[in-house]
């Protein structure tokens, strides 16, 4: 069976206040072309379909359009909700539209209810594990604790139990929205999902599955031969500028036979980060290659130039972000570089240490972690509804 694996569409997202509807539509058209040109038999979308719980109407229109197109091609679509989606809103009418070959898995109750498709080698069971917020689903899943590893392990136990009851030779595909240990993140792009002090889960959670289609992280990458992230189809922050965007074309043969090919996505506009003095950037031919790019410009002028962004946009109309190399630095480091890669808990602890001059005790650290997780869990509950 030939499967197209994609994720993290983030329909409705903007890039530094620049709408991306046209670029997202171009990707969806590319997806449809790929489905037809590559004879795809199933499309899987591993979460974060929308960028926020209540998406704008034009993003909903894009979503409605792609569902109609895939249904018209009679190519099954299996899709899960991610941590940016409202699971209840995305899952509205899910049972009804299954008749059109559109299979939405947005509820914890549906983790072990697979979509079963047939090919010449027999059945393939697709299991959709939506983003599982530990504090919200621990009780439903009977997990030992409110951690990502515990709730995903419990969900996968249900998947393996269902799979064991199916005919011998049934192949399995799991869609999941999670941060798997060893994967590479994209700073400024992915929302922190730390729970219990740990944001990630071990790849061993997904044992005994033929293919795992992951979402959440925006880089296309391979955890193992059968566990992969497709990444987002567009770059949604400048931290993603240097990483090609792609989808995985996966062929499941008989038994455990599996091959996967990376298919690059179209680049609507190159994204670049450049550094230099304002006058050089405005006059030097060395910068001509960036005139049509989305740009993050870091100016090295010792003093902040007057109306710097307005002047830059005269030559670089798609300049979106402006930084200054000599501002807000301590010991040669900017605030952004000092907090990059740190969790919310680590940043908050650093702030407390800075203002009090006293390191937090173990009890204070635990109390802060508990408070941060409570806030995130309550926010997740609101978005899910």
């Amino acid at each position: 069976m030939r499967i197209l694996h994609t994720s993290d569409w983030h329909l409705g997202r903007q890039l530094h206040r620049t709408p991306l509807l046209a670029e997202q539509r171009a990707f969806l058209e590319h997806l449809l072309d790929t489905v037809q040109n590559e004879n795809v038999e199933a499309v899987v979308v591993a979460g974060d379909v929308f960028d926020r719980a209540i998406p704008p109407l034009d993003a909903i229109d894009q979503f409605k359009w792609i569902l109609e197109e895939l249904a018209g091609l009679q190519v099954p679509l299996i899709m899960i909700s991610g941590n940016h989606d409202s699971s209840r809103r995305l899952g509205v009418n899910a049972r009804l539209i299954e008749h059109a070959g559109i299979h939405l898995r947005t509820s914890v109750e549906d983790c072990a209810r697979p979509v079963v498709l047939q090919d010449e080698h027999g059945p393939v069971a697709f299991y959709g594990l939506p983003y599982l917020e530990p504090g919200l689903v621990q009780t439903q899943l009977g997990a030992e604790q409110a951690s990502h590893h515990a709730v995903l392990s419990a969900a996968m136990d249900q998947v393996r139990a269902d799979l064991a009851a199916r005919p011998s030779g049934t192949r399995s595909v799991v869609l999941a929205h999670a941060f798997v240990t060893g994967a590479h993140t994209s700073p400024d792009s992915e929302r922190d999902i730390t729970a219990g002090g740990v944001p990630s889960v071990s790849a061993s959670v997904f044992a005994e599955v033929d293919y795992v289609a992951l979402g959440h992280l925006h880089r296309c990458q391979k955890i193992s031969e059968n566990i992969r992230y497709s990444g987002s189809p567009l770059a949604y922050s400048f931290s993603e500028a240097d990483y090609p965007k792609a989808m995985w074309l996966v062929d499941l043969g008989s038994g455990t036979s599996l091959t996967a090919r990376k298919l690059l996505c179209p680049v609507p506009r190159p994204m670049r980060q450049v550094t230099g003095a304002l006058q050089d950037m405005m006059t030097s031919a060395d910068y001509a290659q960036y005139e049509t790019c989305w740009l993050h410009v870091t100016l090295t002028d010792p003093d902040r130039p007057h109306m710097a962004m307005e002047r830059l946009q005269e030559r670089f109309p798609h300049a979106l972000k402006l930084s200054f190399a000599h501002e807000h630095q301590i010991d040669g480091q900017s605030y952004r570089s000092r907090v990059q890669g740190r969790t919310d808990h680590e940043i908050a602890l650093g702030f407390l240490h800075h203002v009090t001059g006293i390191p937090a005790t173990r009890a204070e650290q635990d109390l802060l972690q508990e408070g941060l997780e409570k806030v995130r869990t309550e926010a997740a509950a609101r978005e899910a509804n």
Side-chain angles (χ1 to χ4, degrees):
M1 181 168 292
R2 176 159 287 186
I3 302 162
L4 187 64
H5 167 199
T6 177
S7 72
D8 294 271
W9 293 355
H10 288 279
L11 297 179
R13 187 154 181 164
Q14 297 186 348
L15 181 63
H16 294 275
R17 300 183 182 180
T18 298
L20 295 174
L21 282 168
E23 289 77 11
Q24 290 176 330
R25 176 62 176 247
F27 160 70
L28 294 176
E29 291 175 347
H30 169 70
L31 183 147
L32 289 173
D33 289 342
T34 302
V35 167
Q36 296 176 82
N37 296 336
E38 297 288 350
N39 299 313
V40 170
E41 297 170 88
V43 176
V44 300
V45 185
D48 281 353
V49 179
F50 294 110
D51 190 54
R52 55 182 187 266
I54 304 178
L57 291 176
D58 44 17
I60 294 174
D61 288 341
Q62 295 254 37
F63 179 64
K64 176 175 175 287
W65 174 80
I66 189 63
L67 294 190
E68 291 171 347
E69 293 296 313
L70 286 170
L73 294 173
Q74 297 186 329
V75 175
L77 169 69
I78 302 98
M79 176 181 287
I80 62 173
S81 52
N83 61 304
H84 279 250
D85 298 308
S86 164
S87 56
R88 289 186 63 183
R89 289 187 177 89
L90 185 62
V92 167
N93 295 326
R95 294 297 180 107
L96 179 63
I97 63 176
E98 282 197 4
H99 296 288
I102 307 298
H103 306 275
L104 302 178
R105 293 294 186 266
T106 63
S107 170
V108 66
E109 289 86 359
D110 287 333
C111 287
R113 184 174 71 90
V115 178
V116 181
L117 303 179
Q118 299 280 341
D119 68 2
E120 66 273 20
H121 301 295
V124 180
F126 292 80
Y127 296 89
L129 310 186
Y131 172 68
L132 301 172
E133 179 61 44
L136 296 180
V137 303
Q138 177 189 4
T139 301
Q140 287 173 276
L141 288 169
E144 294 180 357
Q145 56 185 343
S147 70
H148 291 295
H149 194 277
V151 298
L152 268 173
S153 294
M156 283 301 303
D157 286 343
Q158 294 183 6
V159 167
R160 283 185 283 266
D162 180 87
L163 188 59
R166 295 191 174 273
S168 176
T170 298
R171 290 155 294 162
S172 55
V173 175
V174 167
L175 288 70
H177 198 83
F179 176 12
V180 175
T181 304
H184 298 286
T185 63
S186 300
D188 305 325
S189 287
E190 300 130 2
R191 186 181 296 172
D192 179 33
I193 59 170
T194 301
V198 180
S200 62
V201 300
S202 169
S204 63
V205 165
F206 301 105
E208 302 174 37
V209 173
D210 292 304
Y211 183 71
V212 181
L214 293 174
H216 178 56
L217 301 186
H218 287 193
R219 292 195 201 183
C220 182
Q221 54 193 298
K222 180 176 70 172
I223 305 302
S224 67
E225 282 302 317
N226 69 323
I227 303 177
R228 298 169 188 253
Y229 283 96
S230 64
S232 61
L234 297 172
Y236 289 124
S237 77
F238 284 97
S239 65
E240 301 177 47
D242 297 329
Y243 302 101
K245 296 301 180 177
M247 301 179 287
W248 289 110
L249 189 66
V250 179
D251 285 305
L252 279 183
S254 60
T256 59
S257 171
L258 181 148
T259 60
R261 178 158 52 100
K262 183 186 292 187
L263 303 181
L264 296 180
C265 294
V267 180
R269 187 180 301 282
M271 180 181 282
R272 299 289 183 267
Q273 302 184 81
V274 296
T275 301
L278 178 60
Q279 186 60 28
D280 290 341
M281 295 198 65
M282 295 299 297
T283 58
S284 173
D286 293 341
Y287 294 96
Q289 60 184 307
Y290 303 116
E291 291 176 357
T292 61
C293 299
W294 280 320
L295 284 186
H296 172 198
V297 177
T298 299
L299 293 179
T300 58
D301 302 73
D303 298 310
R304 177 184 284 211
H306 179 61
M307 297 182 68
M309 180 59 99
E310 290 80 359
R311 292 162 67 183
L312 282 166
Q313 288 179 335
E314 292 175 7
R315 183 178 187 185
F316 309 101
H318 304 289
L320 301 179
K321 183 179 179 182
L322 178 61
S323 301
F324 298 91
H326 298 291
E327 279 198 342
H328 307 303
Q329 294 196 352
I330 298 175
D331 297 329
Q333 285 189 306
S334 68
Y335 175 77
R336 177 178 293 275
S337 65
R338 285 185 287 119
V339 301
Q340 185 170 330
R342 298 170 67 186
T343 65
D344 293 342
H345 185 239
E346 291 168 337
I347 293 171
L349 285 175
F351 173 75
L352 287 173
H353 190 189
H354 173 72
V355 297
T356 65
I358 304 171
T361 65
R362 181 72 256 178
E364 290 169 338
Q365 292 179 38
D366 292 343
L367 185 62
L368 178 60
Q369 182 71 53
E370 181 182 337
L372 288 170
E373 290 181 12
K374 182 178 180 181
V375 168
R376 197 194 67 250
T377 300
E378 290 174 350
R382 289 194 299 271
E383 290 191 357
N385 294 321

